[in-house]
Amino acid sequence: MKKLILIFITIMFVNNSAFSAGSKEEAAALLDRAIALLDLDKNRALENFVSGDGGLIIGDLYVFCFALDGTISAHPALLGANIHESPNKDINGTPLGEAFFSIAEAGIIKEVVYRLRKYDSDSEKEFTKTALMTKVSDQICGVGYYSDQ
């Protein structure tokens, strides 16, 4: 039954991808989908977030998650690193790991705004990025979108 539900969620999302790539609305839709997948099967969901299987990486949008100790449990490129060791800060100067963890609440989506270069680019140019964050079970998860590309 879980497999059928996962297939349905995947088909539903792919067929409803009318948003432009990288928009706040598309990021929110991807995070909603991630929450549903985590609730169904956390381990499989985390694997799919990393691989992008089922349309879970769309252009610049991807799901990222951290365990409660800060270890990155899902990210297309930084799997296993610790978010608390990141040199990046939010726009208020708060270390990014602290910013993500301090706002994450189950059932609520909040925003963290920060400057970051694109992880899949050799460019040193930084962009403003907004991460939509929530807590699901023992994971802090988000989807970020760039607001100045």
Side-chain angles (χ1 to χ4, degrees):
M1 183 66 171
K2 282 186 179 182
K3 186 174 183 177
L4 288 175
I5 294 170
L6 287 170
I7 292 169
F8 174 75
I9 291 171
T10 299
I11 292 168
M12 181 180 70
F13 182 77
V14 171
N15 288 337
N16 288 325
S17 294
F19 304 111
S20 62
S23 70
K24 180 178 183 175
E25 294 80 8
E26 192 169 23
L30 185 55
L31 184 56
D32 287 342
R33 183 167 168 240
I35 293 165
L37 292 170
L38 284 162
D39 285 339
L40 287 172
D41 185 341
K42 180 183 85 171
N43 292 332
R44 184 165 182 192
L46 292 172
E47 289 173 8
N48 287 345
F49 299 160
V50 172
S51 69
D53 289 349
L56 290 165
I57 297 175
I58 306 166
D60 287 334
L61 299 178
Y62 54 87
V63 180
F64 58 93
C65 297
F66 316 101
L68 297 180
D69 68 357
T71 303
I72 299 173
S73 50
H75 189 283
L78 303 173
L79 190 62
N82 192 296
I83 189 63
H84 294 299
E85 297 170 1
S86 170
N88 298 313
K89 298 181 183 210
D90 73 4
I91 59 171
N92 298 314
T94 304
L96 205 48
E98 184 181 324
F100 287 152
F101 277 85
S102 68
I103 69 156
E105 291 183 55
I108 299 172
I109 296 173
K110 295 185 179 178
E111 296 182 356
V112 174
V113 180
Y114 54 103
R115 301 279 300 163
L116 185 73
R117 68 179 203 84
K118 293 185 178 184
Y119 81 90
D120 61 350
S121 168
D122 292 333
S123 172
E124 293 298 317
K125 182 177 178 182
E126 288 191 343
F127 299 87
T128 300
K129 190 168 189 178
T130 301
L132 305 176
M133 302 298 302
T134 193
K135 182 177 180 188
V136 182
S137 182
D138 64 348
Q139 298 290 307
I140 306 297
C141 296
V143 174
Y145 62 94
Y146 294 97
S147 55
D148 63 351
Q149 294 193 52

